[in-house]
Structure formats: structure tokens, C-alpha cells
């Protein structure tokens, strides 16, 4: 009984921290409509900043606390609102989600860059060795403080939201933002205040939670993400229910950990199989809560104007693209040194994983954060079935990953937007924290050892009797695999199935009234995309040769998604770009000369570019590169000339006229200049930077200056209608 | 005409190339309730949005208190004393009545003044001041929305479909309040789909069909036209 | 027997009865009108019929068979199609692709050997928007968007067509053409249920009218009967007309 009490009380203190984090999340979500995925990252940054001041520079704790909680964090939150979140008004849920995911990536990258993760950073608890006894339970002061602070936060928020006009205005904005501004409340100020408060709460949670584990970027971020489950129990609306959720979450987590031994003996499952499960318990709760959310009605259009478009590739264009990929791969394989080729091998597998996102995220608009985990499934299959280079293992990798994808999709079918993203994220975290690190086990007489004790060896495939172990042969083989999947993706886009996917993204309600069963279609696209990811994983694994669960973690998957988004989630070219950016040594080599710790900076950069996405949700390949090169489809002769020029360069390189650097720069120069030169020769106009109708729904001037500098344009008026959520006049 | 607080001259407006208001002129005198009637789709709400600067006219002028205000912004007009009660319920359903009224203080009045003015006009609200607005009846919600117009003392009040979804007795009561507001010297432009709701309160009315004002006159003068305007034929 | 019957349907949103015990039917070969002011519950009634909204009470029957338990797509497979008051186009797809997508979604449920592309071209011509076939639907003006939705609905070969304010956003000539098209569809045996505010169109094209007010059925009858119905006059024009 005493033991039970101890776990409950310690669970309550965990709950207190979760509650603080979750209320911040709920507050910003309700008042501004943005679910801040980066909440965990921001809290983690704050904890590091606090450590730097308190233990790095030895400032007194009160000074550091006041600075972080009441100055830096609110400022950062207000700044976020000012430069990022404000621009997201009127964009799709997907864009909002991707931008905050990018922010999370950027905070993790920046923290890793600033604070070397290999250094130990002890962070002491408050009044470390003092203990107080409550109801016979000895409670460290640190925990008492957490409990008190949670209560203070609850009371303070209650007072703010009911007794202060700004707080009432926050709630008013939740109800009806347009009306709030008709009343004269300045929405920007309200949003800024809520971001500032939300960020401070994330910071407080980060500082309180940091001493319970070593100060380390990723675990700390994920620990705060655990609190999202509490926010979900509050349905992202109710603060009291969020506190209840935090208590359920905190107490159950500590009870599970406390009674781990008894559970093991009771279920006769060795605790080493369950430790990963206990670790991920909050994520399991998050998953369950998401599944129990009440059924949404079929979504119909939101007021936002569609500014996203999906290019429809032609077969000749695709043939050219595929030809250049394979041809280029063959040419490259002859000029690159072995070592470079070895590290470059990864780009094709990564590229295929990127391609798997195109039908799922790009066409049908379902954000999935678990594609890399599904690729991991493919790797596991490849390891076990392809041990002797059996090429059929590639097929099995796709099939098994497809089945896993199907099973994951089944319960998530009715989720969309942030809920779907969270449930797939939960699956990804569950895989890399629990399933992939499971030790060997036996079931029905069969022995399972998924990750081979933490390190998978993947043997290269044997094809037509040859083993693709040579660097060159594997490089070309992988490029062919990539090219084939490109064709599959193009086939999907050009088929009526692809049309149906896009239709489903635009209006599920309309699809249902046109005989489509939305659930079956979603299930099918999840399965197909998972199969592609599994196949990609099999190729990626062969390139890496040995894989650890860490290389499949949630954040790595996030980077892939983010670079895909930057390139353009509907474009196979983006997958190639992503593969080269994340999988090739060149970028790191080039930039590494300028910035020494480039690998962290890379994450930061990806995050930063992703943040800018609110401006152009289509990605740069469909909106900038493609229109630029379209002209070559009209002038075949010019295209031939460019191709001949490439081959010429390659022959010169083979003859050792110049080295690889010159070759690379010449190729890049040719790529950049050819469309420009052709346009000048043929006197064709340059394409507009964006297609008409794809304009950002944004006022041309800030709203309070509208009409002062010139007459209000039609476009501005329509945008204003949208922003004020005024019904469009029917006829 | 010197005492017209709101005047529209030759207003045309549309959406994406389709014109829905084809040249409308109307004048609302100080203290007058002016009703614009017409079936749905006649362009009434667009006209309202043009008057409140929420939608730009493609031609014509909007004149508030003798000043041409084309190109002004909604909040500038709001500060200049123009108050729009939009279609639907203009309240915050999850805030209490008192908190709803509190939001009205952004326009400058003190909370005590706002409360006093609102409760004087609608005593029922006083009894329910701590009740969540969303749980009020439809009529009480509309009273709360109107309270903003009472409390902020505008010069021009625009009411869009005040009666929508309300029982007739309630509508009558609301329009009594509207007439009382007008008596304080406010110019009120009311847009209604249903003739019955506004004819009793308006001193002047216009029938709008297909983006044009087809007839202006006193309510009694309009009776003959109404049936044809709404239900077609004769 | 009427193709569509709804019996005593109620929909409650919180404290508001959006639809209050409405009973109506739509017959083959007839255009049935559903009129009433904004907020009278017309679109909600449509949502109940198509299954996007579950009624609090009441039954929806097709061919005399209750379909309350059927999901929207299953009802569509029984020959129900609709357009939307607030356009629900597939914005990034072209007008032609919109219709093709609908044709391929419904291909298994209608007896037709035509390929989706052929269906699309035929229907775009029929509604008269062939010239914008390759424009992304999201960039079309509202009037043409409504015609794309109509063509899309027709691609499923419906027996019952529900049109929610199809004429708003169309000019007079387009409305004229549209009225002709509606009559044709009805003459081919389709049951058409029309929600519309353009009374000229409603009165000229409908065979039978239902009038909704505050979610309740106020009157029904032929256009002429409805036009002179005292309750309708009172609701629209004021108490003194009683």
C-alpha cells in the first residue's frame, strides 16, 4: 500500500509537468488554430538555455529562471507569432503542421549544434537533497515544486482567462476571430500573447523535466511530446480536461514503471521485452486517445482558397527524366572514386522512401510521419530473407511493409490533419523505441530476432546470377530501382486512381456522394505507399550495409519529409533532390569546408527552409524548376544538344582533361544556363515564378494600411472576406 | 438631404467578374430605420459589406456623415461610428454575457457604461449576465449582439438579417429596440429577407431584386410589389 | 411509389431544431422544388438525404426501402447524386478530370461501357462548358464551377439528383439554358430535387414545391398553389397578408 502511494504521488509530480506543457499547447492551439508540434523542441531549447546560464556560466538560479521564463521564452514565442505563425492564417492544416514540424527540426538541430551532445551536462534539481514527508511519503522538494507550480499555472490561467480583458479576448478569438476584431480587439496582440504564454509554459516544463534525465536534445524533446497525449485527452480545447489527462498519463506511467516486475511475473513476459513499452507508454496513450476521439463528420471544404497544385507529368517527360537518371548514374559510376560512390549509394534508397510520400502525402494529403519506420520494416525483412542475396526478398520487403502499413492505417482511417500526423508519429516512436530494440524472442516455436540485437546486416542482392557487390554495379542497380518507382508514381498520378486520390484530398464529402468509399481508398493508398517505403528501405539498407535503430528514429524520418516538402511533395524530382541532399557526401563536403559542424547545420537549414514554406506550399521543383525546363519538351533538338553536351563533358572527364570538381561545376552550370540560353535564342518568354491562381492568399499590404496607399483591389477584398470568414455572397 | 448619415451613390459590386449589385442609390436619414428587402441572392449582403467597407465597390461612392469614405478600412469606419451586426449571431458563445459586453469596451466606453446601456435596453440580459452566451435563447443572443450597437453609440448601424431563425414575437421585440435606438439619432440600415419582419419598424424601405433597387417608398407603398418580387408571377 | 421519401426527419444542433419533422418525396420524371429562407434547413435536409448528416429522428427511404443506416457512398451507389451550395470541386483537377474522377469512382455501380474520358467529354458538352474542360476547376468562376459539379453528379448516372442552389452565380442566359437542361433530365426519368433562391427558375421549372421555414414544412403544392398559399405569403410578406 505504501508502495502504491509512493508511485501515485511521484506520478502526480510527473503529471504536474505534463500538465504545464500540455496547457501551453492547448492555449496556443485554441486561440490561434496552430497545433505547435515544436512545443517539445522549444521546451528543450529553454532547458538548455537555463543550463547554460545556471551551470555553464554559474549565474544564480533565480536570475536564470527569470530570464528564461519571463524574458527569453515569451520573447521567442512572440517572435514566432510575428514572423511565422501570422503568415499561416488561411493556409491548409497540412501547411501549418509542416511549418511547426520544421520548427521542431530546427530547434533540435540548433540545440545539437550549439551544445555538443557528446558532453555530459549535469543539471541539478532544485534543493536537491531536501525531502518533505507528505502522507507518509518522502517527497523531494523538486517534486513538491513541480506540484505547486502546476497549481499556480492552473490558477493563474484561470484568472487571466476570466478576469483580464486580454484573456477574455483570447477566449473570444477562440469563438469568433472576425467578430473579435469587429469589436476592436487586435487579433495580432491576442495571438502574440498566447504564443508568449504558451512558450513560457513549454520552457517551464522543459526546465522541470530536464533533471529527471540527462540533458540531451532528442530524449528531452520527446519527453515533452509525451504531454501531447494529455492535451489530446483535453481534446485540445478544455484546460481542466487537459489537467485530468495529465494526471491519468503521469500516474499510469509511474505505476507501470513501479510495478514492472510484478507485471512481468504476472504475464510471464520477461521485463526486457517490456521496458521499451513502458518507455513509450505515453505514446501508446496518445495513440489510444486518438483512436477514441469521436468520429468526425466527413470534412468538406474549408474557407481557405486552394493555392496548391499538382503537376501532371507526361510520359515523354518522365521517360526523359528516368533516362537521365539511369544514364547519369552509369556515367557517374565511371568517374567517381569508390569511396564517394559508396556514400552516394544511399541516395537512391532514400529517394525511393521519398517517392513513397508522393501518393500518400502529396496526392491524397495524408501526413504520415512513419515512412522511415516502414522502410525499417523493409530492412528487417531484407536482413532475414535476403541473407543470401535472394532478389525475391525485395518483393517481400514491399509486401510485409505494405501489410504493416495497412495495419497502421486501419485504426487511423478516420483521422486526418494533425490527428493523423500524431498517430503516425506515435507509431514511428513506438517502432524505434520498442519494436526495433526488442531482444530475441520465441513465439509458437519460431524464434524472432528483429533487429539482430541492435545491428542489422544487410547483404546486397543477387540479380541474374550476379552479386551486386561492386560499387559500380550496385549504384546503377539502385538507380534503376529508383527510376522504376518513379514510373510507378507517375503511373498513379496519370491513372484514374490518382485522380481519385487527389479528389479525396480536395473534398472527401463530394467523393462520398459520388460512390467512392473514402475509407477503402485511404487504406489502399496507405498500403501502396508503405510498400514503396518498404522497398526503398530494402535498397537503402543494402547501401548502408549495417543499420542501427537510431538511424531510423523519428527525427531522421522528419528530415526526409521536410526536404521532400521543400522540393515539392508532388514531384518525383523532389525525391531525387532529397536523396542527394540527405544521402550524398557532396553537400556535406562542400559546405563542410565553410562550416565545420555542417551535419547539425544541415538539420537547422532544412528546418529553416521548411518554416518559410507558408509562402510557397508547392515546393520549389514544381513552382520554379519545372516551368523553367518545360521549354525543352517543345524544342527537342535543343534537348538533344544539351544531352550531347553532358556526354561530351563526361568523355572529357574520362580522358582526364579535368578533375571531378570541374566536371561537377560544368554540369551544374549547364543545368542552370541551358533553359536561359534557349529562351534567349527562341525569344520565348520566361515563365512567371508562380502559376496564376496559385497566389498566396495574403493581403498586398497589412490590413490596417489597406486602402490607405491605394484603392482596395478585388483580390484583397476577397482575401479579406476569407480572413473575416464572411460568407461569400450567393449571386 | 443634409442630415443623411449614410448615403450610397451608384454602387456597383461583384465577385470575380460577376456583378451582383448593379448600381444602387439610397439615403438613410438621421434617426431613420431604412429597410432593404428582397429574396436571397438579391445582393443585399454584398451591399451591406460595401457599406461597411468589407467589400470594395467597382463603382459608386459610400458617404458616411457627409464624408466620402471609399477606400477606408473596416476598423477605420468602425472607429468613425459605423457598426455592423453581421448575419448570424454576433456573439461569442463560450463567453458569459458579461464577458461579451466586456469585449465591447474596446471601442472606448467603460465597462460600467456599456453594462448600464445594455441592461437598460435589454433588462433580460442583466438577469443572465453570468450565463454562458451560447446557452441563451436565439432571441437573447440577438439582443446581446444588438447590445453592442447600443453600448458603443454608433452614428450608423447596419443590421444584416437580424430576424434570421427567430420566432415572430421575438423579432417584434428586437425591432422595438431598433426603433428605440433610431430615436436616439442613429441612422439604421436593415437588410432582411422577410418583408414581415421589418415593415413594421422601418420608416422607409426599398425592394431589391437581382442586384437592383426596384422600388423605394414607405412600407405601405411597397405592398403591391412584394408578392411579385418574392414569389414571381402575379 | 416515389423514388425518394423522407418521413418525419428531425435534426437537432444543440438547442436548435434545424429540421423539424419534415416529410417530403421526390418522384421520377419530376422536378421537385424545396424553397425557404436562409437557415430554413434546406441544405441540412440534403445532408440528411445523402447521409452526410445523421437525422435525430425520422427515416429516409429510396424505392420504399430505408437507407438510414447506409453510408453516403452506399447511398450514392443506389443512384443518388448531388451538388453543393458551397462548391465542393476537386480544385486541382481540371474540369474534365473532375468528371472523369466521378465516372471512375462510380464505374462499377452503373451499367455503362463508356470509358471515363468519353463520359466526361459527353457531359461537359451537355452542360455546355467544353471550352473550359482543361482549366483546373478551382480557378473557374462560381457559375461554371456549379456546372462542373452538375456534370460530375451526372457522371454517376443518378436516378435521383439533388441540386443545392445550382443557379447562383450564373447570369440570366446561363440560368435559361440551365432550366432547359433540368427539364430534359426530368423528362429522361430522373427525379430532381432542387433547392434554389431564384424564384423565376423555381416557378418555371418545378412540378411540385415544398416550402420550409424554421426547419418546418410550411406548405406544399404546385407552384401556383404555393404562390397563393396564405401561410407562405404571411411568412414571406408579413402578418397583414393573412
Amino acid at each position: 500500500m505504501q508502495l502504491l502511494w509512493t508511485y501515485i504521488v511521484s506520478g502526480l509530480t510527473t503529471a504536474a509537468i505534463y500538465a504545464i506543457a500540455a496547457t501551453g499547447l492547448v492555449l496556443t492551439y485554441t486561440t490561434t488554430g496552430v497545433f505547435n508540434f515544436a512545443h517539445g523542441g522549444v521546451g528543450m531549447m529553454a532547458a538548455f538555455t537555463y543550463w547554460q546560464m545556471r551551470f555553464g556560466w554559474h549565474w544564480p538560479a533565480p536570475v536564470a529562471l527569470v530570464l528564461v521564463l519571463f524574458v527569453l521564452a515569451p520573447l521567442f514565442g512572440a517572435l514566432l507569432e510575428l514572423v511565422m505563425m501570422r503568415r499561416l492564417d488561411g493556409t491548409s492544416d497540412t501547411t501549418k503542421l509542416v511549418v511547426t514540424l520544421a520548427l521542431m527540426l530546427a530547434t533540435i538541430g540548433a540545440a545539437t549544434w550549439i551544445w555538443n551532445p557528446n558532453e555530459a551536462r549535469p543539471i541539478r534539481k532544485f534543493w536537491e537533497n531536501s525531502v518533505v514527508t507528505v502522507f507518509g511519503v518522502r517527497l523531494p522538494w523538486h517534486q513538491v515544486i513541480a506540484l505547486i507550480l502546476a497549481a499556480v499555472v492552473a490558477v493563474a490561467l484561470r484568472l487571466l482567462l476570466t478576469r483580464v480583458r486580454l484573456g477574455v479576448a483570447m477566449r473570444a478569438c477562440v469563438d469568433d476571430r472576425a467578430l473579435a476584431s469587429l469589436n476592436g480587439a487586435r487579433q495580432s496582440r491576442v495571438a502574440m500573447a498566447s504564443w508568449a504564454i504558451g512558450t513560457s509554459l513549454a520552457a517551464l516544463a522543459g526546465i522541470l523535466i530536464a533533471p529527471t534525465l540527462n540533458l540531451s536534445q532528442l530524449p528531452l524533446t520527446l519527453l515533452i511530446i509525451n504531454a501531447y497525449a494529455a492535451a489530446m485527452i483535453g481534446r485540445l480545447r478544455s484546460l481542466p480536461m487537459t489537467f485530468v489527462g495529465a494526471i491519468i498519463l503521469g500516474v499510469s506511467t509511474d505505476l507501470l514503471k513501479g510495478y514492472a516486475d510484478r507485471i512481468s511475473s504476472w504475464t510471464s513476459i520477461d521485463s526486457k521485452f517490456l521496458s521499451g513499452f513502458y518507455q513509450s507508454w505515453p505514446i501508446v496513450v496518445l495513440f489510444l486517445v486518438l483512436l477514441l476521439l469521436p468520429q468526425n463528420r466527413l470534412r468538406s471544404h474549408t474557407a481557405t482558397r486552394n493555392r496548391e497544385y499538382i503537376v501532371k507529368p507526361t510520359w515523354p517527360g518522365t521517360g526523359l527524366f528516368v533516362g537521365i537518371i539511369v544514364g547519369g548514374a552509369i556515367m557517374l559510376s565511371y568517374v567517381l572514386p569508390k569511396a564517394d560512390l559508396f556514400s552516394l549509394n544511399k541516395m537512391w534508397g532514400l529517394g525511393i522512401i521519398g517517392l513513397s510520400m508522393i501518393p500518400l502525402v502529396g496526392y491524397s494529403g495524408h501526413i504520415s510521419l512513419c515512412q522511415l519506420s516502414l522502410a525499417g520494416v523493409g530492412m528487417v525483412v531484407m536482413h532475414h530473407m535476403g541473407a543470401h542475396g535472394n532478389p525475391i526478398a525485395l518483393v517481400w520487403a514491399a509486401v510485409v511493409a505494405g501489410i504493416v502499413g495497412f495495419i497502421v492505417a486501419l485504426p487511423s482511417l478516420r483521422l486526418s490533419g494533425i490527428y493523423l500526423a500524431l498517430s503516425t508519429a506515435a507509431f514511428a516512436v513506438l517502432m524505434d523505441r520498442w519494436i526495433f530494440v526488442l531482444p530475441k524472442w520465441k513465439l509458437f516455436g519460431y524464434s524472432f530476432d528483429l533487429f539482430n540485437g541492435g545491428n542489422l546486416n544487410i547483404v546486397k542482392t543477387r540479380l541474374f546470377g550476379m552479386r551486386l557487390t561492386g560499387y559500380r554495379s550496385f549504384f546503377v542497380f539502385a538507380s534503376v530501382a529508383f527510376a522504376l518507382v518513379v514510373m510507378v508514381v507517375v503511373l498513379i498520378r496519370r491513372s484514374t486512381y490518382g485522380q481519385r486520390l487527389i479528389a479525396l484530398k480536395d473534398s472527401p464529402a463530394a467523393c462520398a456522394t459520388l460512390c467512392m468509399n473514402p475509407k477503402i481508398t485511404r487504406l489502399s493508398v496507405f498500403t501502396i505507399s508503405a510498400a514503396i517505403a518498404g522497398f526503398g528501405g530494402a535498397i537503402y539498407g543494402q547501401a548502408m550495409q549495417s543499420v542501427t535503430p537510431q538511424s531510423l528514429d523519428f527525427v531522421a524520418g522528419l528530415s526526409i519529409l521536410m526536404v521532400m516538402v521543400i522540393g515539392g511533395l508532388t514531384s518525383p524530382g523532389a525525391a531525387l533532390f532529397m536523396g542527394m541532399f540527405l544521402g550524398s557526401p557532396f553537400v556535406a563536403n562542400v559546405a563542410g569546408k565553410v562550416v565545420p559542424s555542417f551535419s547539425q547545420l544541415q538539420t537547422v537549414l532544412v528546418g529553416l527552409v521548411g518554416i518559410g514554406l507558408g509562402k510557397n506550399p508547392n515546393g520549389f521543383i514544381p513552382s520554379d524548376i519545372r516551368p523553367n525546363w518545360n521549354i525543352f519538351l517543345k524544342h527537342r533538338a535543343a534537348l538533344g544538344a544539351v544531352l550531347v553536351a553532358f556526354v561530351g563533358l563526361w568523355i572529357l572527364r574520362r580522358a582526364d582533361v579535368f578533375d571531378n570538381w570541374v566536371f561537377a561545376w560544368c554540369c551544374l552550370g549547364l543545368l542552370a544556363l541551358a533553359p536561359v540560353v534557349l529562351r534567349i535564342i527562341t525569344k520565348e518568354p520566361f515563365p512567371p515564378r508562380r502559376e496564376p491562381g496559385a497566389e498566396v492568399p495574403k493581403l498586398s499590404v497589412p490590413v490596417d494600411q489597406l486602402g490607405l496607399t491605394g484603392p482596395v483591389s478585388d483580390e484583397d477584398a476577397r482575401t479579406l472576406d476569407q480572413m473575416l470568414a464572411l460568407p461569400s455572397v450567393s449571386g | 438631404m443634409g442630415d443623411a448619415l449614410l448615403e450610397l451613390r451608384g454602387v456597383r459590386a461583384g465577385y470575380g467578374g460577376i456583378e451582383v449589385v448593379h448600381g444602387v442609390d439610397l439615403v438613410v436619414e438621421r434617426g431613420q430605420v431604412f429597410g432593404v428587402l428582397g429574396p436571397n441572392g438579391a445582393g443585399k449582403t454584398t451591399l451591406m459589406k460595401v457599406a461597411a467597407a468589407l467589400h470594395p465597390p467597382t463603382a459608386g461612392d459610400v458617404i458616411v456623415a457627409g464624408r466620402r469614405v471609399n477606400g477606408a478600412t473596416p476598423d477605420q469606419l468602425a472607429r468613425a461610428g459605423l457598426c455592423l451586426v453581421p448575419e448570424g449571431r454576433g456573439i461569442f458563445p463560450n463567453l458569459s454575457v458579461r464577458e461579451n459586453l466586456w469585449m465591447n469596451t474596446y471601442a472606448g466606453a467603460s465597462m460600467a457604461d456599456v453594462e448600464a446601456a445594455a441592461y437598460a435596453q435589454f433588462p433580460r440580459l442583466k438577469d443572465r449576465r453570468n450565463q454562458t452566451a451560447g446557452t441563451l435563447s436565439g432571441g437573447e443572443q440577438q439582443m446581446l449582439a444588438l447590445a453592442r450597437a447600443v453600448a458603443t453609440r454608433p452614428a450608423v448601424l447596419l443590421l444584416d438579417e437580424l430576424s434570421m431563425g427567430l420566432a415572430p414575437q421575438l423579432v417584434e421585440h428586437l425591432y422595438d429596440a431598433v426603433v428605440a435606438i433610431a430615436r436616439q439619432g442613429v441612422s439604421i440600415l436593415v437588410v432582411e429577407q422577410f418583408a414581415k419582419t421589418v415593415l413594421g419598424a422601418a420608416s422607409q424601405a426599398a425592394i431589391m431584386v437581382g442586384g437592383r433597387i426596384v422600388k423605394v417608398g414607405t412600407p405601405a407603398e411597397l405592398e403591391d410589389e412584394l408578392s411579385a418580387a418574392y414569389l414571381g408571377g402575379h | 411509389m416515389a423514388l425518394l421519401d423522407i418521413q418525419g426527419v428531425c435534426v437537432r444542433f444543440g438547442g436548435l431544431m434545424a429540421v423539424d419533422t419534415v416529410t417530403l418525396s421526390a418522384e421520377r420524371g419530376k422536378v421537385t422544388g424545396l424553397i425557404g429562407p436562409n437557415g430554413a434547413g434546406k441544405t441540412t435536409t440534403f445532408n440528411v438525404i445523402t447521409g452526410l448528416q445523421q437525422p435525430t429522428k425520422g427515416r429516409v427511404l429510396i424505392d420504399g426501402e430505408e437507407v438510414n443506416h447506409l453510408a453516403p457512398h452506399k447511398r450514392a451507389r443506389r443512384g443518388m447524386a448531388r451538388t453543393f451550395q458551397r462548391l465542393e470541386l476537386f480544385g486541382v483537377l481540371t474540369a474534365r478530370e473532375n468528371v472523369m474522377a466521378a465516372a471512375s469512382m462510380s464505374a462499377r455501380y452503373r451499367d455503362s461501357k463508356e470509358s471515363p474520358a468519353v463520359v466526361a467529354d459527353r457531359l461537359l458538352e451537355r452542360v455546355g462548358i467544353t471550352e473550359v474542360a482543361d482549366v483546373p476547376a478551382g480557378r473557374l468562376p462560381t457559375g461554371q464551377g456549379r456546372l462542373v459539379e452538375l456534370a460530375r453528379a451526372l457522371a454517376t448516372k443518378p436516378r435521383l439528383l439533388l441540386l443545392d442552389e445550382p443557379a447562383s452565380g450564373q447570369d440570366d442566359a446561363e440560368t435559361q439554358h440551365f432550366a432547359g437542361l433540368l427539364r430534359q433530365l426530368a423528362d429522361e426519368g430522373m427525379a430532381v430535387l432542387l433547392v434554389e433562391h431564384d424564384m423565376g427558375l423555381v416557378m418555371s421549372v418545378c412540378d411540385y414545391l415544398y416550402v420550409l421555414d424554421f426547419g418546418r414544412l410550411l406548405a406544399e403544392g404546385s407552384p401556383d398553389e404555393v404562390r397563393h398559399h396564405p401561410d407562405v405569403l404571411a411568412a414571406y410578406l408579413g402578418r397583414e397578408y393573412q
Side-chain angles (χ1 to χ4, degrees), chain B residues 24-72:
Chain B
V24 165
D25 300 276
L26 56 85
V27 178
V28 189
E29 309 277 344
R30 185 188 293 273
Q32 189 182 46
V33 178
F34 191 108
V36 176
L37 310 168
N40 211 331
K44 304 186 303 292
T45 295
T46 310
L47 193 66
M48 215 57 153
K49 287 206 237 166
V50 170
L54 288 171
H55 189 87
T58 47
D61 293 324
V62 180
I63 294 152
V64 174
R67 277 186 303 164
R68 188 169 161 276
V69 295
N70 292 34

Side-chain angles (χ1 to χ4, degrees), chain A residues 271-622:
Chain A
S271 63
K272 68 183 176 186
F273 296 113
L274 291 175
S275 66
F277 178 74
Y278 301 143
Q279 291 280 320
S280 7
W281 172 246
I283 295 295
V284 176
V285 173
L286 175 64
F287 200 63
L288 292 177
V289 172
L290 284 168
L291 298 186
L292 294 176
L293 280 179
Q295 173 99 46
N296 286 5
R297 278 181 55 198
L298 275 177
R299 178 177 57 89
S300 47
H301 264 332
T302 45
T304 56
R305 187 117 150 277
N306 203 339
R307 54 178 167 132
E308 283 150 36
Y309 54 88
I310 300 174
V311 178
K312 188 174 179 180
T314 59
W315 279 122
T318 307
L320 184 66
F321 181 64
V322 162
I324 290 176
I325 284 172
V326 177
I330 293 171
M331 277 157 59
L332 269 185
S333 69
Y334 278 94
V335 298
L336 285 180
K338 266 189 182 177
D340 280 356
L341 218 46
F342 173 73
S343 30
L344 200 57
N345 270 338
K346 282 188 270 187
M347 68 177 270
W348 302 115
L350 273 175
I352 297 173
I353 298 170
L355 286 173
S356 79
M357 293 174 183
I358 293 179
L360 184 62
V361 194
Y363 297 163
S364 50
H366 298 126
I367 283 227
S368 159
L369 302 179
C370 63
Q371 293 307 98
L372 189 59
S373 309
L374 292 167
V377 173
M379 291 178 191
V380 170
V381 174
M382 203 61 204
H383 164 79
H384 291 287
M385 307 195 62
H388 306 291
N390 184 358
I392 301 301
L394 286 172
V395 178
W396 279 112
V399 170
V400 175
I403 293 170
V404 174
F406 179 87
I407 294 168
V408 177
L410 212 48
S412 326
L413 268 186
R414 46 199 201 85
L415 304 177
S416 62
I418 51 173
Y419 302 109
L420 182 65
L422 277 171
S423 76
T424 51
F427 171 72
V429 173
L430 210 57
M431 289 298 270
D432 70 55
R433 274 207 236 169
W434 181 32
I435 304 292
F436 285 156
V437 294
L438 275 182
K440 194 169 177 171
W441 84 91
K442 268 191 178 193
L443 193 68
F444 305 127
Y446 291 94
S447 170
F448 291 86
D449 189 4
L450 284 187
F451 237 79
N452 207 18
N455 196 355
L456 276 186
N457 288 311
I458 298 173
V459 176
K460 291 203 168 67
T461 302
R462 192 188 283 275
L463 207 62
F464 310 121
M466 318 186 285
R467 188 140 224 184
L468 299 169
T469 40
Y471 294 119
R472 197 175 292 162
S473 58
F474 181 78
F475 190 74
V476 174
F477 161 73
S479 79
V480 171
F482 177 82
L484 284 177
V485 180
V486 167
M487 308 243 273
V488 169
V489 169
V490 171
L491 187 69
I492 291 176
R493 170 63 185 97
R494 291 190 59 86
S495 67
T496 50
Y497 177 67
Q499 285 174 2
R500 293 208 291 272
L501 291 183
I502 296 168
L504 188 62
K505 176 189 190 177
D506 277 349
S507 174
C511 284
T513 64
L514 295 167
C515 301
M516 182 210 269
N517 183 343
K519 289 185 179 172
I520 300 277
T521 308
R522 295 178 81 181
L523 210 49
S524 69
V525 69
F526 255 102
T527 308
I528 291 173
S529 143
I532 296 178
F535 178 71
I539 302 282
Y540 185 37
Q542 289 182 38
M544 295 209 289
Q545 290 181 344
S546 110
V547 187
T548 58
Q550 287 77 38
S551 60
L552 300 176
D553 76 22
F554 175 60
V555 175
L558 211 52
S559 303
I560 296 181
L561 175 68
M562 217 48 66
V563 182
M564 281 300 290
V565 171
I566 293 165
L569 261 173
T570 58
S571 154
L576 184 68
F577 166 73
M578 185 274 291
M580 290 205 278
F581 187 80
L582 294 180
S584 83
F586 295 132
V587 186
N589 282 352
V590 174
K593 287 180 182 152
V594 190
V595 190
S597 51
F598 176 74
S599 58
Q600 278 83 41
L601 187 63
Q602 195 175 9
T603 321
V604 182
L605 274 182
V606 168
L608 287 181
V609 179
I611 289 167
L613 200 84
K615 267 170 73 184
N616 180 9
N618 294 301
F620 76 89
I621 290 181

Side-chain angles (χ1 to χ4, degrees), chain A residues 729-731, chain B residues 13-15 18-22 41-44 46 208 210-212:
Chain A
V729 163
S730 43
Chain B
Y15 296 87
I18 298 179
E19 195 175 86
V20 295
V21 175
H22 314 289
K44 304 186 303 292
T46 310
M208 190 167 178
R212 289 188 183 81

Side-chain angles (χ1 to χ4, degrees), chain A residues 297-303 305-306 308-310 312 493 496-500 502-504 506-518 691-694 728 730-731, chain C residues 13 47 50 52-53 72-74 76-77 80-82 84-93 97 100-102 104-106 109 116 138-139 146 152-153 156 165 168-169 197:
Chain A
R297 278 181 55 198
L298 275 177
R299 178 177 57 89
S300 47
H301 264 332
T302 45
R305 187 117 150 277
N306 203 339
E308 283 150 36
Y309 54 88
I310 300 174
K312 188 174 179 180
R493 170 63 185 97
T496 50
Y497 177 67
Q499 285 174 2
R500 293 208 291 272
I502 296 168
L504 188 62
D506 277 349
S507 174
C511 284
T513 64
L514 295 167
C515 301
M516 182 210 269
N517 183 343
E691 291 189 23
S728 68
S730 43
Chain C
F13 294 130
N47 287 343
T50 48
L52 295 175
Q53 169 75 50
H73 60 275
K74 296 229 170 98
R77 288 168 190 179
M80 205 187 258
R82 73 172 286 183
F84 294 84
Q85 181 191 8
R86 296 188 63 184
L87 290 180
E88 293 279 344
L89 289 164
F90 308 140
V92 295
L93 297 178
E97 286 176 321
M100 279 174 71
S104 74
M105 285 174 200
S106 61
Y109 312 101
R139 292 185 204 160
R146 295 201 181 281
R152 202 175 64 179
T156 67
E165 295 199 25
S168 76
H197 286 299

